[in-house]
Amino acid sequence: MTISEFSKIVAALKTVYTAPGFVPNEQALDMWYRLVGKNNDYQTISVAAQMYMATGKFPPTPADILECASKLKRFYMQKYIFFLNSEMGNSGKGVQ
């Protein structure tokens, strides 16, 4: 994802978590981007941030957002495996 896309996610997080120390400057934004945004896609991190905002009582750390992204990816992988197994029907050879 681009830094511009990531900045939109951080802006949403800052709307919910208004503590002055939460991503307070460009250096912090750059660090968050390197840890969270640079090697992930916008859609996954955007949904992960929304998941966290729906339940998180405190400002997130990069690890919190990455944990939500990991849960999201596992959920979709399980749905995909279920779909593949159902497509194989009764062949007896499911996907593991």
Side-chain angles (χ1 to χ4, degrees):
M1 116 179 51
T2 66
I3 188 72
S4 176
E5 290 172 323
F6 187 69
S7 294
K8 291 176 186 177
I9 295 169
V10 171
L13 287 166
K14 290 182 81 152
T15 299
V16 173
Y17 302 102
T18 58
F22 180 64
V23 192
N25 54 40
E26 288 298 316
Q27 286 178 314
L29 178 64
D30 183 56
M31 179 60 72
W32 267 75
Y33 177 68
R34 284 188 276 144
L35 293 171
V36 177
K38 191 173 184 178
N39 296 314
N40 290 291
D41 66 280
Y42 176 79
Q43 186 67 30
T44 299
I45 299 301
S46 178
V47 173
Q50 291 173 46
M51 285 172 58
Y52 186 86
M53 287 186 279
T55 59
K57 295 178 183 177
F58 303 101
T61 65
D64 292 327
I65 300 302
L66 291 172
E67 182 179 6
C68 287
S70 179
K71 288 177 184 177
L72 186 64
K73 289 175 185 177
R74 276 194 308 274
F75 171 76
Y76 281 111
M77 184 57 71
Q78 288 170 348
K79 283 183 72 168
Y80 179 68
I81 290 170
F82 177 79
F83 169 76
L84 289 179
N85 283 334
S86 66
E87 288 294 307
M88 294 179 141
N90 294 327
S91 67
K93 296 182 179 178
V95 177
Q96 299 294 326

